[in-house]
Amino acid sequence: MSNFIRLLLRRVLAMPIMVLGATLLVFLVMSLSTADPARLALGESATPEALENYRERFQLNDPLLVKYVRYLGGLVQGDLGESFTGVPISEMVARSFPITLQLTFLGLFLGVIIALVLGIIAALFRDKWPDQVIRFVSITSLATPSFWLALLFIQWFGNIPGGLGWFPAVITDWVNFSDDPARYINQVTLPAVGMAIPLSGSLTRVVRTAMVEELDRDYVRTAIGAGIPKHIVVARNVLRNALITPLTVLGLRVGYMMGGAVVIEMIFNIQGMGNLIFQGIMRNDVNIVQGVTITIALAFIVINLVVDLLYVLVNPRIRSI
C-alpha cells in the first residue's frame, strides 16, 4: 500500500469524528434557543392542550441526548428535519446549496487567478516598482470587506439610478448556466468579483513570499547558470514547488469564502443558503438555521479533505512520509 493511500485512509477515517463534533456543537448551540417550536407553529392563540399535543407529536419533550441521536440518525439518511411550517429542510437546502457553491467557487477561481498573476509578477520584480504597487494593492484588497465592495459595485455598475446599468443590482430570478450562459455570467459577475478581491489580496502575499523563497534556492541558480532559460525554470519547477504553501492557505480560506457568499447573497437577494438562513432567523425557525449551519460545516470538512489530498499530490515530500 502506497504512502498516498495510507494518508488518504487516515483522512477519511478522521472524517466521522470531525462530522460528529461539528453536528454536536451546532446542535447544542441551537438547543440554547428560547424559541418554542409549538408556539411558532400554532400561533399565539393556541391553547395549552394544543401546544402540548404538538410537543408530544413531534417528540419535543424528549431529553436532549435522545433528540440529538434521533437527529443524527436522520442526518445519515439525508434528513435535516422540518421547518416549523412543515416543509422538509433537505428540500430547501437542495435548492439553495448549489447556488452558494457556485458563487463560492466562482469567487475562489477569480481570486486564485488574480493572486497567481500578481504574486508571480511581484516575486519576479522583487523590490522594484511593480512589486511595490502590487503590495499596496494586495494590502488594500485584504483590508476591504466583501460586503462593502458588493455595495460599491451595485452603486457603480448596477441597474439603479446613478449606476452604469451593466449588471443587475438585485437578482430576482436565478438562471443556471445551462439555461442562459450570457444571463448567468451577467448575474454572477458582481457577487463573484466582490468575493474574489479580498481573497486575492491575502493570497497574493502568500504566493509572492513562497515564490521569493523558491527563487532563492540553489537549484534555481544552478539551472539558470547551466543555460536553462529562467522562464522555463520558473514554469516547470519554481511555480510547482511554490504553490504548496498557497494551496494549504487556500483550503482554510474556502470556509470563509462560503461564509462570505452567505452575506453576498443577502445583498443581491440571491436565493442561496444566505437567504435561507436569513429567513430562518427572521421567522425564529431554529430548525432551518440548524440545517443550513450543519450543511455548511459538512461542506467545509469535505472541501478541506479534498485540499489535503491535493496538497499531498503536489508535494512529493509528503508522499514519502
Side-chain angles (χ1 to χ4, degrees), residues 90-106 174 176 184 188 258 261 265 270-273 276 295 299:
S90 56
E91 294 182 5
M92 300 180 181
V93 171
R95 291 192 300 266
S96 303
F97 190 56
I99 297 175
T100 299
L101 276 183
Q102 291 177 55
L103 286 179
T104 299
F105 284 100
L106 282 171
W174 179 265
N176 292 318
Y184 176 84
V188 300
M258 196 169 293
E265 287 170 359
I270 299 173
Q271 302 302 310
M273 299 289 273
L276 185 58
T295 302

Side-chain angles (χ1 to χ4, degrees), residues 22-33 64 67-68 70-72 75 79-84 89-90 93 273 276-278 280-281 284-298:
T23 55
L24 180 60
L25 179 62
V26 172
F27 191 85
L28 290 176
V29 171
M30 291 296 105
S31 67
L32 298 176
S33 172
L64 185 62
K67 290 193 287 187
Y68 173 69
R70 185 167 57 243
Y71 185 83
L72 202 59
L75 191 62
D79 182 12
L80 293 170
E82 294 182 351
S83 68
F84 293 160
I89 297 173
S90 56
V93 171
M273 299 289 273
L276 185 58
I277 199 171
F278 179 72
I281 293 172
N284 209 5
D285 196 324
V286 178
N287 290 346
I288 293 179
V289 177
Q290 179 175 274
V292 172
T293 306
I294 286 179
T295 302
I296 293 176
L298 296 181

Side-chain angles (χ1 to χ4, degrees), residues 98-155:
I99 297 175
T100 299
L101 276 183
Q102 291 177 55
L103 286 179
T104 299
F105 284 100
L106 282 171
L108 196 67
F109 176 76
L110 290 176
V112 168
I113 296 299
I114 296 171
L116 285 176
V117 172
L118 296 182
I120 292 172
I121 293 175
L124 294 178
F125 294 91
R126 184 186 347 177
D127 296 330
K128 297 180 180 178
W129 71 264
D131 183 25
Q132 301 297 335
V133 172
I134 291 173
R135 283 189 192 181
F136 174 78
V137 171
S138 63
I139 292 174
T140 304
S141 302
L142 177 61
T144 305
S146 58
F147 68 87
W148 184 73
L149 275 177
L151 294 174
L152 282 183
F153 289 160
I154 290 174
Q155 183 178 0

Side-chain angles (χ1 to χ4, degrees), residues 226-294:
I228 302 176
K230 184 176 181 180
H231 68 275
I232 294 180
V233 177
V234 171
R236 291 183 178 179
N237 303 103
V238 175
L239 186 57
R240 179 179 179 180
N241 294 332
L243 286 180
I244 295 173
T245 301
L247 185 60
T248 307
V249 175
L250 187 62
L252 300 175
R253 294 292 301 175
V254 171
Y256 296 105
M257 289 286 289
M258 196 169 293
V262 167
V263 178
I264 292 292
E265 287 170 359
M266 295 172 62
I267 293 175
F268 286 94
N269 194 39
I270 299 173
Q271 302 302 310
M273 299 289 273
N275 195 283
L276 185 58
I277 199 171
F278 179 72
Q279 292 178 19
I281 293 172
M282 294 302 294
R283 298 174 187 170
N284 209 5
D285 196 324
V286 178
N287 290 346
I288 293 179
V289 177
Q290 179 175 274
V292 172
T293 306
I294 286 179

